[in-house]
C-alpha cells in the first residue's frame, strides 16, 4: 500500500520529473535534495525565489530554465559561476601553478654542474695517476747496487745513464730461443752498451763497442764482497760484465773514462722484443739489404715496420755489416731512439690499451739500480726521444784503431775531451766513429 501525497497519486502525478521525463525540470526532492544556504525561511514565509509556501507536503521545486530560486541574493552559491573548481582560488585545479602540489622545475644550475663534473674528472685523474705510479714502481727490478762500486769518480753536471742490452736467455723456452735466434749459451753477456748523458745542452748518446779494449781495475765482488786488486789485465769491455755482472761493468767504465755513472738500466732479449710488440712495432728506414743467419735478420732496403722478433734481429746484426760492431752500434742507437719516440707518442700515452701493456712489458724486463725512480726512467726515455728528434747528438766512442790484442782501442785524447765536456754539461764537439 502506497500513500502518495496529494497530486502524486496513481498515473496522474502531474508533471513528473526524473526518469523518462522530457521535462528540463530537476528531479524531485526524493532524488535530488536541494541545499539552501543562508537563514531558513520561517513558516508562512515565501519559499524559494519568492514562491508561496508549499502545500500538500511537497515543496515546489525551482526551475533550472527560469533560474527560479537561484537569483541574486538568494544565498545559493554553486561555485561554478566563477570558474572555481575543487575549491581552489581563481579556478586553478590540482596541478596548476601555486597549488602546493607540483612546483615548477627550477632552471638547471650549469655552473654548479660544470664545477662538479670538473672536480670529479680531476679526482679520477689523480687517483688513476697515483695508482698507476705505485703499480709501475712496484714492477721495477732494482737488482743493481751501485754502492758496491769502489773508487768512484766525482759526479759532474747532468745525469749519466749506462744502458745495457744483455743476451740473457733467462726464462726463455727452447721454442723462444729458436724463434729469436739467441742460441742456448749459459750465463749472460752484453750485446750493447751505451752512455746517455742528459743536461742543459741536450742529450748525448754514446755507444761503447763491446770489443773495446779496457783495463780491468780493482773491484769488490758483487756477491762475495771480496776485494780483487788490479793486475793491469786488458780485455774486451763485455768481458767485465760476464765476469762479475753490472757492478764490475760500471766500475770498469768509470775507471777507463773517469765519468761518473748515476744510473744503470739493462734489458734482455725477450723483454726487448715484448716492448716492441706492445707498441705495435717500430718503423725503421733500413739503408741497405741485410741478411744474417746468425741473428736471423733478413731485410730489404727501405722503410718498414719491425715487430719484436725482427727488431731484435736488426739490433744484433753485425756480421752482415761492413763496419761490424761499429756499424751495429749505430743501428742500435737509431732503433732505440725510434723506439723511445714511438713510446712517447700520443697514440701510446693516451691509449690505456696500449700504454699499460707497453709499461708492463718494459718494466717487467728492465733491471735497474736501487736508486732508479720512475721519473729518472721517464727522463731517460724522453732524452732518447730527443736524440731521434734532432735535439741531441749520437756517436760512437772515438776509436784510434786496434790494440795489440786485436780489440778496439779508444782515442785517449778525444775521450778525455769528451768526458770533460760531459762532466761540465757543455755542448759536445767531439766526433766519434
Amino acid at each position: 500500500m502506497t500513500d502518495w501525497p496529494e497530486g502524486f497519486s496513481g498515473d496522474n502525478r502531474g508533471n513528473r520529473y526524473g526518469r523518462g521525463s522530457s521535462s528540463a525540470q530537476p528531479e524531485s526532492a526524493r532524488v535530488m535534495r536541494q541545499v539552501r544556504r543562508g537563514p531558513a525561511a520561517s513558516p508562512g514565509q515565501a519559499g524559494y525565489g519568492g514562491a508561496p509556501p508549499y502545500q500538500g507536503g511537497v515543496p515546489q521545486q525551482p526551475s533550472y530554465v527560469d533560474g527560479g530560486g537561484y537569483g541574486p541574493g538568494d544565498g545559493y552559491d554553486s561555485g561554478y559561476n566563477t570558474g572555481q573548481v575543487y575549491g581552489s582560488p581563481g579556478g586553478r585545479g590540482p596541478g596548476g601553478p601555486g597549488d602546493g602540489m607540483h612546483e615548477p622545475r627550477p632552471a638547471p644550475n650549469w655552473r654548479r654542474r660544470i664545477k662538479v663534473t670538473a672536480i670529479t674528472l680531476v679526482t679520477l685523474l689523480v687517483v688513476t695517476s697515483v695508482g698507476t705510479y705505485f703499480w709501475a714502481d712496484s714492477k721495477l727490478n732494482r737488482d743493481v747496487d751501485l754502492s758496491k762500486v769502489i773508487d768512484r769518480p766525482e759526479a759532474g753536471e747532468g745525469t749519466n745513464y749506462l744502458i745495457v742490452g744483455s743476451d740473457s736467455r733467462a726464462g726463455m723456452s727452447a721454442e723462444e730461443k729458436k724463434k729469436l735466434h739467441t742460441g742456448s749459451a749459459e750465463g749472460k753477456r752484453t750485446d750493447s752498451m751505451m752512455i746517455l748523458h742528459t743536461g742543459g745542452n741536450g742529450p748525448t748518446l754514446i755507444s761503447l763497442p763491446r770489443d773495446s779494449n779496457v783495463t780491468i781495475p780493482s773491484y769488490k765482488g758483487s756477491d762475495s764482497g771480496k776485494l780483487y786488486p788490479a793486475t793491469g789485465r786488458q780485455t774486451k769491455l763485455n768481458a767485465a760484465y760476464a765476469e762479475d755482472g753490472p757492478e764490475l761493468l760500471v766500475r770498469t767504465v768509470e775507471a777507463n773514462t773517469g765519468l761518473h755513472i748515476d744510473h744503470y738500466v739493462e734489458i734482455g732479449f725477450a723483454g726487448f722484443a715484448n716492448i716492441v710488440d706492445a707498441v705495435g712495432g717500430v718503423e725503421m728506414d733500413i739503408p741497405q739489404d741485410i741478411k744474417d743467419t746468425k741473428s736471423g735478420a733478413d731485410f730489404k732496403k727501405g722503410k718498414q715496420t719491425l715487430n719484436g722478433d725482427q727488431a731484435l734481429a736488426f739490433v744484433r746484426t753485425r756480421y752482415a755489416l761492413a763496419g761490424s760492431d761499429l756499424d751495429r752500434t749505430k743501428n742500435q742507437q737509431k732503433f732505440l731512439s725510434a723506439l723511445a719516440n714511438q713510446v712517447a707518442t700520443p697514440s701510446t700515452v693516451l691509449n690505456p690499451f696500449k700504454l699499460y701493456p707497453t709499461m708492463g712489458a718494459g718494466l717487467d724486463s728492465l733491471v735497474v739500480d736501487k736508486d732508479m725512480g720512475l721519473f729518472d726512467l721517464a727522463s731517460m726515455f724522453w732524452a732518447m726521444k730527443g736524440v731521434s728528434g734532432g735535439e741531441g747528438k749520437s756517436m760512437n766512442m772515438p776509436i784510434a784503431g786496434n790494440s795489440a790484442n786485436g780489440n778496439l782501442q779508444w782515442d785517449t785524447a778525444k775521450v778525455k775531451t769528451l768526458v770533460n765536456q760531459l762532466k761540465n754539461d757543455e755542448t759536445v764537439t767531439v766526433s766519434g766513429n
Side-chain angles (χ1 to χ4, degrees):
M1 179 176 179
T2 303
D3 293 330
W4 292 94
E6 184 178 352
F8 284 84
S9 60
D11 296 329
N12 185 19
R13 305 179 191 174
N15 291 332
R16 295 186 297 171
Y17 310 145
R19 295 171 297 176
S21 173
S22 60
S23 172
Q25 301 289 344
E27 294 232 6
S28 65
R30 66 186 180 87
V31 177
M32 178 182 290
R33 176 170 298 175
Q34 302 297 326
V35 179
R36 180 180 180 86
R37 300 183 181 182
S42 59
Q45 185 180 2
Y48 300 93
Y54 64 88
Q55 298 178 0
V58 179
Q60 181 178 356
Q61 303 299 315
S63 170
Y64 282 81
V65 176
D66 59 7
Y70 295 93
D74 67 348
Y76 181 81
D77 183 7
S78 66
Y80 285 88
N81 57 339
T82 63
Q84 180 176 333
V85 182
Y86 305 114
S88 58
R92 292 168 295 187
D99 66 353
M101 297 175 62
H102 298 280
E103 293 294 336
R105 180 176 297 176
N109 188 338
W110 289 109
R111 179 176 297 179
R112 182 176 180 276
R113 290 187 180 185
I114 293 174
K115 181 178 179 181
V116 171
T117 302
I119 292 175
T120 301
L121 291 176
V122 170
T123 302
L124 181 62
L125 179 61
V126 170
V127 171
T128 302
S129 300
V130 171
T132 299
Y133 176 86
F134 284 104
W135 166 78
D137 188 72
S138 67
K139 295 180 76 66
L140 276 178
N141 301 306
R142 296 182 173 93
D143 297 334
V144 179
D145 189 357
L146 295 184
S147 67
K148 296 180 180 180
V149 180
I150 62 174
D151 299 332
R152 309 189 67 186
E154 292 184 2
E157 300 293 328
T159 303
N160 299 310
Y161 300 84
L162 181 59
I163 304 171
V164 174
S166 77
D167 64 358
S168 173
R169 297 155 179 85
M172 295 177 63
S173 65
E175 182 180 351
E176 288 174 327
K177 293 176 182 177
K178 181 179 179 181
K179 177 183 178 184
L180 297 176
H181 298 271
T182 64
S184 299
E186 295 299 326
K188 60 180 183 178
R189 286 149 293 277
T190 55
D191 258 16
S192 62
M193 291 160 284
M194 304 178 189
I195 294 175
L196 174 67
H197 173 83
T198 62
N201 287 291
T204 302
L205 186 61
I206 307 164
S207 286
L208 309 177
R210 56 177 275 174
D211 294 337
S212 297
N213 189 60
V214 295
T215 301
I216 300 296
S218 61
Y219 69 96
K220 183 182 292 186
S222 58
D223 292 329
S224 66
K226 179 181 177 180
L227 181 63
Y228 295 88
T231 62
R233 176 167 53 100
Q234 294 187 338
T235 185
K236 293 180 180 180
L237 180 59
N238 68 338
Y241 180 91
E243 186 172 331
D244 197 44
E247 288 84 0
L248 179 54
L249 178 61
V250 171
R251 167 74 176 129
T252 302
V253 169
E254 289 186 341
N256 284 265
T257 63
L259 187 67
H260 181 88
I261 299 299
D262 298 290
H263 292 294
Y264 178 91
V265 181
E266 178 186 323
I267 186 169
F269 281 162
F272 180 82
N274 289 339
I275 294 176
V276 175
D277 285 335
V279 297
V282 176
E283 184 179 76
M284 287 295 297
D285 189 359
I286 299 178
Q288 65 183 70
D289 292 349
I290 299 176
K291 189 172 182 63
D292 184 355
T293 57
K294 290 185 177 294
S295 68
D298 188 3
F299 305 110
K300 296 296 182 181
K301 179 181 177 179
K303 285 187 177 182
Q304 51 201 287
T305 299
L306 307 184
N307 62 26
D309 300 348
Q310 295 169 327
L312 184 59
F314 177 73
V315 299
R316 292 181 62 222
T317 295
R318 66 170 175 162
Y319 293 105
L321 304 176
S324 186
D325 200 36
L326 292 178
D327 282 349
R328 177 170 71 166
T329 56
K330 294 176 182 178
N331 286 340
Q332 290 170 347
Q333 289 177 348
K334 292 177 182 178
F335 187 86
L336 289 179
S337 296
L339 174 60
N341 186 68
Q342 178 67 26
V343 171
T345 57
S347 63
T348 299
V349 175
L350 300 180
N351 183 356
F353 297 103
K354 183 180 288 188
L355 175 63
Y356 285 96
T358 301
M359 291 179 64
L363 296 173
D364 277 340
S365 57
L366 290 179
V367 176
V368 300
D369 64 271
K370 293 185 180 298
D371 294 327
M372 173 74 85
L374 287 178
F375 289 109
D376 299 313
L377 194 61
S379 177
M380 184 194 78
F381 272 98
W382 193 260
M384 293 184 69
K385 177 180 181 294
V387 172
S388 67
E391 301 171 5
K393 179 181 180 69
S394 62
M395 57 182 288
N396 277 326
M397 185 65 82
I399 302 296
N402 292 334
S403 62
N405 57 10
N407 299 331
L408 295 175
Q409 186 64 50
W410 293 350
D411 188 320
T412 306
K414 286 186 176 181
V415 169
K416 183 178 180 180
T417 301
L418 172 64
V419 170
N420 286 334
Q421 290 176 340
L422 295 177
K423 278 187 173 182
N424 297 320
D425 196 24
E426 299 172 352
T427 301
V428 173
T429 60
V430 178
S431 59
N433 299 77

